[in-house]
Amino acid sequence: MIEVCNKTDLLDSRSLDELKRDGQCFAVSVKKGFGLLELRHQIQDSILSTTGRITKHLKIPTNGPHLAWLYKEATVESTQCDESDPEKLLVDVVMTEASYSRFLSRFGRKKI
């Protein structure tokens, strides 16, 4: 469970500091956008650990079957060309440990 304290923009700085120091809840202000990124990361980390998934940063060939396999077996979060090697893609994926093991056995250990 993640406890969230909203409307922290209404607190004075001393109360806000105490709330942050206690660490019992995430101090956010939806109105001002304060603390939302940290909350998002905590939610993502909790979901990943609960579901047994991991985040990986991979470097794969642009013209191989790697990307199609990843789209089928994992959740591809982002892709971009590798500026230092235009024949490679940098891919961020969320996958299970088992899927990652299958990826490595099929394509090798090329990662960044």
Side-chain angles (χ1 to χ4, degrees):
M1 181 183 303
I2 300 170
E3 187 174 340
V4 179
C5 299
N6 191 20
K7 298 188 178 185
T8 56
D9 56 304
L10 301 177
L11 297 175
D12 59 50
S13 62
R14 182 177 177 191
S15 298
L16 183 58
D17 288 342
E18 286 178 24
L19 189 63
K20 287 181 185 178
R21 190 175 33 249
D22 289 344
Q24 294 180 4
C25 72
F26 276 87
V28 300
S29 169
V30 174
K31 183 176 181 180
K32 304 236 179 190
F34 171 79
L36 296 176
L37 184 59
E38 295 86 357
L39 176 60
R40 179 178 164 241
H41 288 294
Q42 180 61 44
I43 292 169
Q44 182 177 5
D45 291 346
S46 294
I47 291 171
L48 291 176
S49 68
T50 301
T51 61
R53 287 180 168 56
I54 55 174
T55 301
K56 288 292 179 182
H57 310 284
L58 306 171
K59 185 182 216 176
I60 62 172
T62 56
N63 60 354
H66 304 71
L67 188 59
W69 189 94
L70 288 170
Y71 272 113
K72 182 178 178 188
E73 300 290 332
T75 300
V76 177
E77 292 187 315
S78 68
T79 61
Q80 67 181 44
C81 290
D82 184 356
E83 292 181 10
S84 64
D85 185 355
E87 295 190 11
K88 301 287 184 186
L89 287 175
L90 305 176
V91 184
D92 293 329
V93 297
V94 175
M95 59 193 346
T96 63
E97 287 280 355
S99 293
Y100 183 57
S101 294
R102 287 193 306 273
F103 178 84
L104 291 178
S105 68
R106 183 170 183 151
F107 299 112
R109 297 194 173 270
K110 302 273 181 176
K111 65 176 183 157
I112 60 169

